[in-house]
Amino acid sequence: MKRHLIFIMFSVFFLPSTTVSACSIVYYIDKISGKIYVANNEDYWLDTDAYIQIEPQSKNKLARLWYGWDDFAQGGVNSAGLFFDGAVTPKLNDSKKYKKIKGNLGDHILAHCKTVNDALALLQKEKIALGNAHMVLGDATGNAVVVEWINGERKLIHIKDGYLIATNFLLSDPEKGNYPCYRYKSIEQRIQKLKSQDTTADMRSFGNVVGGAVQLPQQDSNGKSGGTLYTSFINITDMEFGLIYKLDNNKITRFNLKEEFEKGKRRVIPLK
């Protein structure tokens, strides 16, 4: 995967500081090749010490790559092709049926699950729910779902027409807040344009799907800067990974995931 293949034409939007923890996630199956792509814009404080962590396969755990900070995976993929990411939503889960998250949930899922169904079963078995976020799960078989927890009830929004998008409103109950969402609309419009073309999608054409949903750096009332901290791209079918840091196409990290996982080494790569 060459650097220019994931160059993105970023569009300009100015948003209030309250959206600094926004996130945009998309899972897409190319109608011609059948290849599966995922992408994520992570919008957060720009002074965050984010990094990529690679964990090797062990006796009971799958090899995996995740990105995040403070020993907590914000998103990632494993050697079986299972992807996850999450996005903040209005807080609605106050049920005592579920446990509060302890430890690194994303790493736990990627270490032990090969498919979306495996991950859903793990979440249910361990009584895990997100109180103020929903989770996107997608795998190498073409199965993808957004998981939401509303007042103690789990809601599943399944992939439809070859794609699945999540931003910061509840897909199962949009009127609870953060809706309408220009980022969701932008991604959906670009997906439809991509689907209408008679050419096979690649990392570059797919990457531009999230280009209109980024947030340029801006300061809040206290002078703290927020915006798109990084944008990640994964070709699940070919196990290719790319990440652009702070909207700078000169700051690209890329891996052949299969080769990286075969090295059998734990790595932590600071983003800078």
Side-chain angles (χ1 to χ4, degrees):
M1 181 176 60
K2 296 181 180 179
R3 178 166 295 188
H4 70 273
L5 290 180
I6 54 175
F7 178 83
I8 296 179
M9 296 299 293
F10 292 117
S11 300
V12 179
F13 290 90
F14 294 96
L15 302 174
S17 59
T18 53
T19 63
V20 72
S21 60
C23 191
S24 305
I25 309 161
V26 57
Y27 175 104
Y28 177 70
I29 304 173
D30 181 58
K31 67 177 183 178
I32 298 176
S33 68
K35 292 185 178 183
I36 298 169
Y37 299 90
V38 293
N40 163 60
N41 287 332
E42 190 72 47
D43 303 323
Y44 202 55
W45 301 115
L46 295 180
D47 60 356
T48 301
D49 292 325
Y51 54 89
I52 296 168
Q53 186 154 324
I54 300 171
E55 293 289 344
Q57 180 179 345
S58 61
K59 183 177 180 180
N60 298 312
K61 296 182 179 181
L62 296 163
R64 56 211 183 271
L65 174 151
W66 56 263
Y67 34 86
W69 53 86
D70 295 337
D71 296 319
F72 194 81
Q74 299 294 324
V77 65
N78 66 20
S79 55
L82 177 66
F83 162 82
F84 98 94
D85 212 304
V88 173
T89 62
K91 184 176 181 180
L92 287 172
N93 179 46
D94 294 319
S95 174
K96 295 181 180 180
K97 292 193 305 182
Y98 294 102
K99 301 175 183 177
K100 292 183 178 180
I101 296 174
K102 294 182 180 180
N104 191 339
L105 175 60
D107 182 71
H108 182 54
I109 291 171
L110 295 177
H112 297 284
C113 302
K114 294 183 177 181
T115 66
V116 167
N117 289 337
D118 288 347
L120 291 174
L122 181 148
L123 292 170
Q124 195 71 356
K125 180 181 178 181
E126 299 187 12
K127 301 297 181 185
I128 295 171
L130 305 181
N132 64 339
H134 52 193
M135 180 181 293
V136 179
L137 297 166
D139 63 32
T141 73
N143 190 15
V145 66
V146 176
V147 192
E148 300 180 344
W149 294 265
I150 299 179
N151 297 328
E153 183 178 354
R154 189 171 80 165
K155 306 283 188 179
L156 301 180
I157 300 89
H158 294 274
I159 186 171
K160 184 178 179 181
D161 298 329
Y163 69 93
L164 188 63
I165 305 168
T167 55
N168 300 98
F169 67 90
L170 291 160
L171 294 169
S172 58
D173 196 350
E175 300 306 319
K176 294 297 183 181
N178 300 333
Y179 181 84
C181 176
Y182 89 88
R183 289 176 290 113
Y184 188 99
K185 183 177 180 181
S186 171
I187 293 172
E188 189 166 47
Q189 289 175 339
R190 293 187 182 208
I191 284 286
Q192 295 300 336
K193 183 177 180 181
L194 187 61
K195 289 179 66 176
S196 69
Q197 298 174 359
D198 294 325
T199 55
T200 302
D202 56 22
M203 286 285 267
R204 179 175 183 175
S205 59
F206 171 72
N208 282 319
V209 163
V210 295
V214 300
Q215 296 189 56
L216 294 185
Q218 55 191 301
Q219 292 185 344
D220 68 3
S221 58
N222 296 315
K224 189 168 184 175
S225 294
T228 298
L229 182 62
Y230 56 77
T231 300
S232 60
F233 313 90
I234 306 171
N235 176 339
I236 291 178
T237 305
D238 295 334
M239 295 299 280
E240 296 177 331
F241 172 83
L243 183 146
I244 298 177
Y245 183 55
K246 293 185 179 179
L247 307 181
D248 188 341
N249 283 297
N250 293 309
K251 296 180 178 180
I252 297 177
T253 302
R254 52 198 174 97
F255 296 111
N256 178 306
L257 291 170
K258 184 177 180 180
E259 292 178 359
E260 197 65 33
F261 291 149
E262 287 176 349
K263 293 177 181 178
K265 296 181 179 179
R266 182 179 186 270
R267 295 180 62 194
V268 177
I269 303 104
L271 296 177
K272 55 186 179 179

